[in-house]
Amino acid sequence: MESPEKVRLDAFFRRITAQFPADGQVTALIITHLLQERPAFLQAMSRTVAIGAVLPKPRSIDQPTLDEVQHSYAVHGLSRELFADETRALEFLEDTAAGTDVVLLDIGGYFAPSLRTLVDKFSGRVLGVVEDTENGHQRYAALGDLPCPVISVARSPLKDCEDHLVGRSIVFSTDALVRTRGDILTSRAACVIGFGKVGRAIAQTLRAHDLRVTVYDSDPIKRVQARAQGFSTAGSCTEALRGADLVLCATGNLALRQHHFSALRNGAYVASVTSSEDELELSYLDDLYQRTKVAEQLTRYEVTGHYFYVLADGGAVNFVHGAAVGSYIHLVQAEILAATAALSRSGPVPGLQEMSPIHRQTIAEIWLDHFDR
């Protein structure tokens, strides 16, 4: 990021933190993608709360950014297992923020399995959670009665711009990796599993690149919406897979389970928009398929009579190329800052909730003033 952009971004975040100030001494544990633009967001967050721990998502770490962040904050390893084990999760919280008021910033529902224990037994107070993704939104919703406020920005209209551009970046990275084999996507049959905001953007971008697109979503309403937009739809995931040269998984909720892989046509490419453990049950194939690395981000799975390719080891394929979506990502980051400040004031009641339209409009106005030039 060039110096003028850094200055503009810092000025934007300073206006956001001034507009949405935190109240009292609060510590944040931050799960985050650690990409090139992230230090500016962390710096803005540090003006709002104390940062007790930064937990980078393993498949989205830019090494120079990690080196930079480690100079200023305590950086810890992240895994699903860490917070799935209630005892380990509580010990981690005590080690990093004992006796303080804590806000948990999440990307993907990592804190969900242990949330009740953290709220009930932590020596300080868990003021709440801020969740960034649809995958995480669903994980917290599945808990039912939540023990603390969970403010989700996953379905915010401010995120629509990012989701649209993420869809485009997914297709860009997929095409780039397929080309490492001397192959192209044009005129192929593609299947998009999941027709949420990102899945919809992927399907539209693939169609614009002259692919024949079939959509499957477990929600029949989403399938109706796909048909209304001119896409073919399938009645089951297996049916959708059988005719596809390219499969893009955008559910965040295990789109492809063990039994689905046998339905892939020979030579099909499979890519995901999120973490492999959230989208693809690849671990179940270890004893069935031989894996061969055919390029840096391309693995062939092969058994007698059947083979297919998995891109980026099943992780979010757009992170191979930095997952850039321009300044639109700062809209969501600003809403996360505002949500963190709201939790610090102990205003929200327990339950899954969103920021108010007025707050979102304020963020949009500030963003336009800084970036619409």
Side-chain angles (χ1 to χ4, degrees):
M1 186 180 293
E2 301 293 333
S3 295
E5 284 75 18
K6 288 182 179 179
V7 171
R8 180 181 298 182
L9 182 55
D10 181 66
F12 168 72
F13 279 139
R14 286 186 181 278
R15 281 187 63 184
I16 293 295
T17 54
Q19 182 70 40
F20 302 99
D23 183 16
Q25 299 298 312
V26 177
T27 301
L29 273 58
I30 304 175
I31 293 175
T32 184
H33 302 298
L34 213 50
L35 303 177
Q36 292 180 8
E37 89 316 309
R38 209 52 53 118
F41 168 71
L42 292 174
Q43 185 178 13
M45 184 62 69
S46 69
R47 291 195 294 266
T48 300
V49 297
I51 297 179
V54 174
L55 298 113
K57 296 203 61 161
R59 293 180 183 271
S60 55
I61 299 175
D62 173 68
Q63 188 60 48
T65 302
L66 174 61
D67 295 340
E68 177 183 350
V69 169
Q70 285 178 324
H71 286 299
S72 302
Y73 313 106
V75 177
H76 300 262
L78 175 65
S79 68
R80 287 281 178 196
E81 292 73 24
L82 172 60
F83 295 109
D85 184 323
E86 296 176 352
T87 300
R88 287 181 64 194
L90 183 60
E91 289 175 351
F92 181 85
L93 196 57
E94 295 290 358
D95 288 343
T96 54
T100 65
D101 288 344
V102 171
V103 173
L104 307 174
L105 273 61
D106 205 349
I107 298 180
Y110 279 81
F111 297 111
S114 56
L115 185 61
R116 296 188 192 281
T117 296
L118 297 180
V119 172
D120 292 343
K121 298 184 177 181
F122 176 50
S123 62
R125 287 192 305 165
V126 176
L127 300 180
V129 179
V130 182
E131 171 58 49
D132 185 29
T133 65
E134 178 63 26
N135 174 24
H137 182 109
Q138 294 177 23
R139 289 175 184 268
Y140 285 108
L143 295 179
D145 293 332
L146 291 165
C148 67
V150 176
I151 300 179
S152 171
V153 304
R155 299 177 181 180
S156 168
L158 293 179
K159 204 168 193 287
D160 289 349
C161 303
E162 177 188 343
D163 289 336
H164 175 71
L165 292 169
V166 165
R168 290 191 172 192
S169 72
I170 290 286
V171 175
F172 170 86
S173 293
T174 299
D175 185 52
L177 295 184
V178 167
R179 286 173 182 268
T180 63
R181 290 194 64 247
D183 209 347
I184 60 172
L185 297 179
T186 302
S187 79
R188 296 294 191 89
C191 166
V192 178
I193 309 296
F195 200 65
K197 290 187 290 185
V198 174
R200 186 179 305 117
I202 290 170
Q204 292 167 343
T205 305
L206 289 172
R207 182 164 59 186
H209 283 69
D210 299 323
L211 280 84
R212 305 185 306 279
V213 183
T214 297
V215 169
Y216 173 73
D217 195 294
S218 59
D219 183 348
I221 295 175
K222 297 287 182 61
R223 296 203 298 274
V224 169
Q225 292 171 341
R227 288 187 69 84
Q229 295 182 33
F231 295 106
S232 299
T233 58
S236 70
C237 182
T238 300
E239 177 188 342
L241 296 175
R242 287 193 176 119
D245 301 301
L246 170 67
V247 178
L248 282 162
C249 301
T251 69
N253 191 23
L254 286 179
L256 298 190
R257 299 179 184 271
Q258 180 183 3
H259 65 278
H260 288 129
F261 290 96
S262 61
L264 292 168
R265 73 188 318 176
N266 275 336
Y269 295 98
V270 179
S272 171
V273 309
T274 186
S275 303
S276 56
E277 66 267 23
D278 295 333
E279 203 70 81
L280 310 173
E281 281 192 332
L282 292 174
S283 61
Y284 289 97
L285 305 183
D286 289 346
D287 298 328
L288 300 175
Y289 285 79
Q290 178 181 345
R291 303 185 189 197
T292 304
K293 205 83 169 176
V294 297
E296 185 177 354
Q297 298 290 344
L298 201 60
T299 303
R300 183 171 65 241
Y301 283 67
E302 187 171 10
V303 69
T304 303
H306 190 224
Y307 72 101
F308 57 89
Y309 299 93
V310 174
L311 280 60
D313 293 323
V317 68
N318 57 324
F319 285 119
V320 173
H321 300 104
V325 296
S327 59
Y328 295 98
I329 194 170
H330 306 315
L331 287 163
V332 181
Q333 293 172 339
E335 187 168 349
I336 291 171
L337 285 164
T340 302
L343 290 173
S344 77
R345 295 189 290 274
S346 301
V349 298
L352 193 59
Q353 52 206 273
E354 299 183 0
M355 295 297 289
S356 74
I358 293 176
H359 289 153
R360 288 169 172 166
Q361 289 169 0
T362 299
I363 291 169
E365 288 173 352
I366 296 173
W367 184 93
L368 287 168
D369 190 45
H370 282 266
F371 297 105
D372 185 24
R373 299 178 183 177

